[in-house]
Amino acid sequence: MSRSASGAPAPADTVRIRFRAAASRKVAPAPDPVAQARVWPAWPIPRGGRAWRTLMRNPAALTGLAFLFAVLATACLAPVLYPDDPLGMVGRPLIWPGQDAEFPLGTDSLGRDVAAGLVHGARVSLLVGIAATVVGLALGLAVGAPAGYFGGWIDRVLVRLIEIFQAVPAFILLVVFVAIAQPSVATITIAIGLVTWPTIARLVRAEFRAIREKEFVMAARSVGYGHLRIILREILPNALPPIIVTASVMVASAILMESALAFMGLGDPNVVSWGSMIGAGREHLRTAWYLTALPGVVIVFTVLALNLFGDGLNDALNPRIAAERRI
């Protein structure tokens, strides 16, 4: 290494040393343009622990969630609590609640145990409510996502399809579907899903239209991501909070629809449900009002619990409410 008269390295040697030091450094990988451009729409959506803590601080949501867990546990333990057929005639007809310790909630006009009917009816009502909501969500996502993402003639065609289903009142269309097919739990579940999917479809379409022009979606297109990957991995996770809240309300609506069908005599005759119990007891409103009051109260509290839990989810997942809470 040559040195100058003052003893310092020559300028050429200094440049060579700096070049070797720069070459020895590790070059960081280029950042993912999609991850770099991803921003949450409008307001930062609460995620993970923050949303969970917000939900746990909501007493109304916790009350609804506790009641739903109690109903779900009762439905799961129905074969253990009442292993016999709930439609079987096991006692004297029209025993009032508290009159016989063997039948704490009494019996109906045919001698069937009311408590067994409520426990087994929870299984049918929850099954129909959850399964019908899944069917409605699947159909709503399948129609609303392409309509909101692609737009153009695809959007116009799918919107017309949604409007065709919404032109007829949902419950009337439900009665027609069930009346044409043989009433059963599967038929009722599919029919409720067929009349409730337009609500989800319109919501998904609106969310996709609002998110498709965001920076992270444009970045995903620029790096060559396919449409299906953008829809499922980029847009759908950002549209989930309002969909989840709406799904909780749809479960309550499905339970009410099934109960109304059973009350009208369009339920599955081979199973007992809360609605069928109300329908069977309407002829004894003056003499044995508990036959309709007990299942009616259970339906009211179950739907109320679902609505309270849905409101709590909205407070926890709604980005605007979360942002206002942090201000």
Side-chain angles (χ1 to χ4, degrees):
M1 179 183 298
S2 59
R3 295 181 178 272
S4 59
S6 61
D13 295 332
T14 303
V15 172
R16 189 178 300 108
I17 293 172
R18 290 178 180 176
F19 178 78
R20 290 175 179 174
S24 63
R25 296 172 187 166
K26 294 183 179 179
V27 180
D32 184 3
V34 179
Q36 196 175 27
R38 182 179 285 113
V39 291
W40 304 113
W43 299 84
I45 294 177
R47 303 178 65 83
R50 184 186 303 168
W52 178 254
R53 289 192 298 269
T54 303
L55 183 64
M56 290 297 102
R57 287 196 296 264
N58 191 329
L62 291 179
T63 302
L65 185 61
F67 187 85
L68 291 177
F69 272 126
V71 174
L72 183 61
T74 302
C76 294
L77 295 175
V80 178
L81 298 175
Y82 294 95
D84 297 331
D85 185 4
L87 296 175
M89 294 176 284
V90 295
R92 182 168 52 87
L94 297 180
I95 298 176
W96 274 72
Q99 187 176 352
D100 191 340
E102 186 179 357
F103 308 106
L105 297 182
T107 59
D108 63 3
S109 59
L110 297 177
R112 296 175 295 193
D113 191 354
V114 175
L118 290 176
V119 172
H120 284 269
R123 306 184 72 188
V124 177
S125 296
L126 290 179
L127 174 63
V128 172
I130 296 174
T133 301
V134 171
V135 173
L137 284 174
L139 293 175
L141 287 171
V143 175
Y149 177 75
F150 292 106
W153 67 269
I154 297 178
D155 183 29
R156 290 192 295 270
V157 170
L158 294 178
V159 167
R160 295 299 177 270
L161 177 63
I162 297 173
E163 291 174 349
I164 291 174
F165 276 84
Q166 290 188 321
V168 182
F171 189 73
I172 295 178
L173 191 60
L174 175 63
V175 172
V176 172
F177 284 157
V178 176
I180 292 175
Q182 183 180 1
S184 64
V185 174
T187 301
I188 294 172
T189 300
I190 296 174
I192 294 176
L194 288 176
V195 301
T196 56
W197 69 267
T199 302
I200 287 292
R202 297 188 76 92
L203 175 63
V204 172
R205 173 180 176 269
E207 292 293 325
F208 271 62
R209 284 174 63 89
I211 300 175
R212 68 180 182 182
E213 301 300 332
K214 296 294 181 179
E215 288 82 358
F216 66 91
V217 179
M218 303 299 292
R221 292 172 181 165
S222 66
V223 297
Y225 286 0
H227 296 306
L228 185 61
R229 179 173 180 177
I230 295 176
I231 290 174
L232 295 180
R233 299 188 59 180
E234 305 298 332
I235 301 181
L236 183 58
N238 293 277
L240 279 180
I243 297 174
I244 295 174
V245 174
T246 305
S248 65
V249 179
M250 288 177 62
V251 175
S253 299
I255 292 176
L256 290 176
M257 287 184 178
E258 186 277 330
S259 300
L261 287 175
F263 178 80
M264 297 172 59
L266 293 176
D268 191 340
N270 300 317
V271 297
V272 60
S273 67
W274 294 336
S276 65
M277 294 178 67
I278 296 176
R282 63 185 171 184
E283 298 178 358
H284 303 277
L285 283 176
R286 294 180 180 272
T287 58
W289 53 265
Y290 65 92
L291 296 178
T292 55
L294 292 177
V297 168
V298 174
I299 292 175
V300 168
F301 277 99
T302 302
V303 173
L304 178 61
L306 284 167
N307 285 320
L308 290 177
F309 182 62
D311 291 340
L313 282 177
N314 183 47
D315 293 342
L317 299 177
N318 192 308
R320 295 182 181 275
I321 296 178
E324 292 173 0
R325 191 181 295 113
R326 290 195 299 271
I327 295 177

